[in-house]
Amino acid sequence: MDTGKGEAPGTVVHIPAPGSAGLNAGDRVVAAIDWDRRHHHMRIHTCLHVLSAVVPAGVTGGSVRYDSGRLDFDLPEQMLDRDQIEARLNQLIGGDHAVTPKWITDEELADCPELVKTMSVKPPAGMGRVRLLEIAGVDLQACGGTHVANTAEIGRVRSSRSRTRARTTGA
């Protein structure tokens, strides 16, 4: 079984595994979450939030995988110091900061554009409210993903590399 985004905003589509019987409206199903896999993703995703607080730049892309994650930053001609970033990340993670969701209205989000750090993906609007993720004393931004309860749960991290991609704008 897999899931995907439906056509209507906020809907989820459940996709049966290849070769399994199809589902009909009203069928009863039993679902199970692979907790180990999900928890790994939660740890990586939350770590990327901390990383976005450590590197003060817009996020142009990224990925979350079982064992690693990546963020791409809008940092023209700026070199990142991998060792400094790794040290700061682990310092913040070790601070055991609470990680909690909050909700604000669409209007409140429109008045606070700094709460949207991703330049390529915007939070869903038009549903009346938007979910924020707060890492106490570290970060606050719009996010609908899954996260751990505190930064210490992430565990120690290692930065495998850092690089920037120059981006030019204007004439």
Side-chain angles (χ1 to χ4, degrees):
M1 170 83 76
D2 199 358
T3 59
K5 291 183 180 182
E7 290 182 27
T11 61
V12 176
V13 176
H14 298 277
I15 306 161
S20 65
L23 295 173
N24 297 307
D27 284 353
R28 290 185 167 256
V29 297
V30 176
I33 293 173
D34 180 340
W35 176 250
D36 184 55
R37 180 175 175 78
R38 181 179 178 110
H39 190 246
H40 272 85
H41 279 93
M42 291 164 61
R43 290 172 53 214
I44 296 292
H45 185 135
T46 308
C47 179
L48 294 179
H49 279 275
V50 179
L51 178 60
S52 76
V54 170
V55 179
V59 176
T60 60
S63 71
V64 177
R65 297 184 354 199
Y66 175 81
D67 60 350
S68 65
R70 183 192 92 247
L71 285 182
D72 303 323
F73 295 98
D74 185 23
L75 291 169
E77 299 182 36
Q78 180 179 344
M79 294 303 295
L80 299 174
D81 184 316
R82 183 184 62 129
D83 294 334
Q84 285 182 350
I85 291 169
E86 183 176 305
R88 183 67 176 139
L89 263 175
N90 282 306
Q91 178 187 31
L92 289 171
I93 288 167
D96 196 19
H97 300 273
V99 178
T100 54
K102 292 185 168 203
W103 292 90
I104 61 172
T105 66
D106 290 342
E107 294 78 21
E108 289 170 317
L109 182 65
D111 290 341
C112 299
E114 70 277 7
L115 295 176
V116 181
K117 291 188 177 182
T118 53
M119 299 168 73
S120 60
V121 178
K122 302 295 180 208
M127 298 182 62
R129 64 184 193 153
V130 175
R131 183 173 177 244
L132 302 179
L133 180 77
E134 179 178 28
I135 300 176
V138 176
D139 190 43
L140 177 66
Q141 65 178 290
C143 186
T146 57
H147 309 90
V148 295
N150 63 67
T151 58
E153 198 175 337
I154 296 168
R156 190 153 185 79
V157 298
R158 183 177 51 81
S159 175
S160 60
R161 63 182 170 169
S162 64
R163 65 177 182 222
T164 61
R165 294 182 185 174
R167 184 175 77 99
T168 58
T169 58

